Amino acid sequence: MEFEDKNLKAVVKRAAKVLKVPEETLKYEVISYGSTGIFGLVGAKKAKIRVITSKGDKVPPKAKQVKNEAPKKIKEEKEREETEVSNPTPAPVLQEKTLIDDTHAVEIGRTIIQRIVDKITDGATVRMEQNEEGLVFHVEGGKSALIIGKRGQTLEAIQYLVDRVVNKNSEKRIRLQIDVAGYLENKRTNLEQRAIHLAEKVKKTGKPVTVGELNVYDRKIVHLCLKEEKDVRTQSMGSGFYRKLVIFPKKGNEKKPRKDPPVDH
């Protein structure tokens, strides 16, 4: 009988549950260790095992269905499995655990960031600190301008990748940021100044203004910056990692169209 799941630990647990036996007593051979693919996002492959049962073992009805598949499908799977056994894919280090605690998340994030920046520049190191907002990875040394990229686009791309990989392997949502040579603090200051300037414009014109398409961290900066403003409100629009953020005048502060006085004839 064969079982498959996202990694070896998960598939063993699944097989033990279906067969109603303790995991430590389960006898099996590994057909495929599985693979997380590229950063866990592309080309992922499930782990597969073949469970060895004795003649006296009772097989649950659900498990019997695995053996009653169409002959053609079984033949195709057997050929594919033989290929995988003869050319086994070693299990990546980063896919050993699916549900991770903060410690494991730190190591996954730090390792991936280090690999990426090593391809961009030499001499860069990554350290981590944890605050009330989540994890912050600080990249120090090397050519920071190359890591940040034009208008921060390279850093945002790295941020997006690492966020996807870490949270793909996390049970709970983990907020993380990547900072390079104090770039985040400078960006925060500039974004707050821009938000205040646009808010004043909204107050004067009574018309909404779009700040731009921002990631979740930048949107939070603007929301908090204008939270105490009495005459304007902020709202994120759209879906996905990047969303449009708009500053609206509050009700009563909208600019009413001017009515020309009547003309006497």
Side-chain angles (χ1 to χ4, degrees):
M1 292 169 52
E2 294 161 3
F3 298 85
E4 65 177 14
D5 214 309
K6 44 196 165 188
N7 57 44
L8 185 59
K9 183 177 179 180
V11 73
V12 170
K13 184 175 181 180
R14 179 184 176 189
K17 183 177 180 180
V18 171
L19 297 175
K20 298 181 180 179
V21 297
E23 292 182 33
E24 57 271 16
T25 63
L26 192 70
K27 296 180 181 179
Y28 61 90
E29 58 179 295
V30 179
I31 297 174
S32 172
Y33 283 95
S35 171
T36 55
I38 302 174
F39 292 138
L41 301 176
V42 181
K45 184 184 296 183
K46 290 185 177 181
K48 178 176 286 190
I49 63 172
R50 180 179 293 117
V51 177
I52 303 168
T53 58
S54 62
K55 293 182 179 180
D57 291 342
K58 293 183 178 180
V59 181
K62 184 179 179 181
K64 286 182 180 180
Q65 294 176 5
V66 178
K67 301 182 68 177
N68 295 329
E69 295 177 344
K72 182 178 179 181
K73 184 177 180 180
I74 295 176
K75 182 179 178 181
E76 291 174 349
E77 289 186 351
K78 186 176 180 180
E79 292 175 350
R80 177 169 56 82
E81 291 159 5
E82 289 174 351
T83 303
E84 291 177 349
V85 172
S86 60
N87 299 285
T89 302
V93 176
L94 299 181
Q95 65 98 42
E96 292 178 357
K97 293 184 180 180
T98 301
L99 301 180
I100 60 174
D101 54 21
D102 284 351
T103 302
H104 195 201
V106 169
E107 190 54 34
I108 287 178
R110 190 199 65 77
T111 301
I112 295 173
I113 296 170
Q114 188 68 63
R115 289 180 182 177
I116 294 174
V117 298
D118 284 345
K119 298 294 184 181
I120 298 175
T121 183
D122 296 325
T125 58
V126 182
R127 67 176 179 84
M128 188 283 303
E129 71 173 350
Q130 189 168 352
N131 55 35
E132 64 278 0
E133 295 184 359
L135 304 176
V136 181
F137 295 94
H138 297 275
V139 180
E140 302 168 339
K143 296 180 179 179
S144 58
L146 293 178
I147 303 173
I148 295 171
K150 186 177 181 181
R151 297 181 181 176
Q153 291 179 344
T154 303
L155 182 57
E156 284 202 10
I158 299 173
Q159 167 90 35
Y160 177 78
L161 265 179
V162 176
D163 185 278
R164 287 289 303 275
V165 175
V166 171
N167 283 292
K168 180 181 174 65
N169 293 279
S170 174
E171 185 178 26
K172 296 181 179 180
R173 174 68 183 170
I174 298 176
R175 291 190 175 277
L176 60 91
Q177 287 183 291
I178 304 172
D179 192 14
V180 179
Y183 175 77
L184 285 185
E185 188 59 37
N186 293 333
K187 185 179 181 181
R188 176 190 291 272
T189 301
N190 293 334
L191 199 53
E192 288 176 342
Q193 291 176 350
R194 183 183 176 196
I196 293 172
H197 171 73
L198 291 177
E200 290 299 321
K201 182 177 180 180
V202 172
K203 292 177 186 178
K204 291 180 181 179
T205 63
K207 297 179 180 179
V209 172
T210 301
V211 181
E213 291 189 343
L214 307 176
N215 61 44
V216 61
Y217 308 101
D218 292 347
R219 294 198 303 271
K220 185 177 181 180
I221 291 173
V222 177
H223 287 314
L224 291 176
C225 178
L226 302 179
K227 183 179 180 181
E228 303 300 326
E229 290 287 341
K230 297 180 180 180
D231 299 326
V232 299
R233 64 180 178 87
T234 57
Q235 181 178 337
S236 298
M237 306 181 71
S239 60
F241 188 76
Y242 293 96
R243 297 183 188 179
K244 184 183 294 184
L245 193 145
V246 183
I247 303 175
F248 289 93
K250 286 187 177 179
K251 290 184 178 180
N253 296 318
E254 297 93 339
K255 197 77 170 181
K256 296 181 179 179
R258 187 181 63 183
K259 292 183 179 180
D260 294 328
V263 179
D264 293 331
H265 296 285

